[in-house]
Amino acid sequence: MYISRHFILTLLLAIILFPIYKYKVFLLFVFGLFIDVDHYLHDFFKYKASLKKSYLMHMDKNITLKDQLHIFHTIEFWFLALVLFLIFYSEIILIIFIGLIFHLILDFIHQIFNKKY
């Protein structure tokens, strides 16, 4: 999903949850948005791409990037996040976890509606 859509939808969720969690929703926004830093890390280590070049590569519909490892989108990362959430449960950890889960849900929705056969 495009970063602009993640930004807008995560901001909307943060606004909706603001009356309940107050300024802690900033953490939801940060973790829900910047989990995609792994896209840049992959491009940096594999292609030595700058942030701008990485962004342009992902926005170019004619480029198909294969064999990508986005460490924050793997099942191992999510399992670790769930275990840490359950062990160190607090309101702040809950808010961070909501941001991460929301991001992943948006990615799944994007994949469902943009699947190429």
Side-chain angles (χ1 to χ4, degrees):
M1 176 174 276
Y2 297 119
I3 192 75
S4 60
R5 291 181 184 157
H6 275 298
F7 181 88
I8 292 167
L9 294 172
T10 306
L11 182 62
L12 285 174
L13 180 62
I15 290 169
I16 290 168
L17 294 178
F18 182 80
I20 300 167
Y21 296 111
K22 305 297 181 215
Y23 291 100
K24 295 175 189 170
V25 295
F26 179 71
L27 291 171
L28 177 146
F29 179 75
V30 168
F31 281 85
L33 187 63
F34 291 110
I35 188 173
D36 274 340
V37 74
D38 58 4
H39 293 265
Y40 170 68
L41 292 173
H42 173 268
D43 294 343
F44 176 76
F45 287 112
K46 187 165 185 175
Y47 306 113
K48 302 299 183 221
S50 66
L51 185 58
K52 181 179 179 180
K53 183 178 178 184
S54 175
Y55 177 77
L56 293 175
M57 284 176 16
H58 285 277
M59 293 298 107
D60 188 346
K61 301 268 189 231
N62 297 319
I63 296 176
T64 302
L65 300 173
K66 295 185 179 186
D67 299 326
Q68 295 185 31
L69 175 61
H70 298 134
I71 58 174
F72 299 136
H73 290 74
T74 62
I75 190 72
E76 295 86 1
F77 173 80
W78 288 98
F79 181 74
L80 177 63
L82 177 62
V83 169
L84 292 174
F85 168 72
L86 294 173
I87 293 172
F88 299 108
Y89 180 81
S90 70
E91 189 174 84
I92 290 176
I93 300 293
L94 172 66
I95 292 166
I96 290 170
F97 198 68
I98 290 171
L100 295 174
I101 293 295
F102 186 68
H103 179 96
L104 193 62
I105 290 169
L106 293 177
D107 281 350
F108 281 143
I109 291 170
H110 177 76
Q111 288 297 322
I112 289 168
F113 289 107
N114 292 301
K115 187 156 181 86
K116 297 177 183 175
Y117 295 99

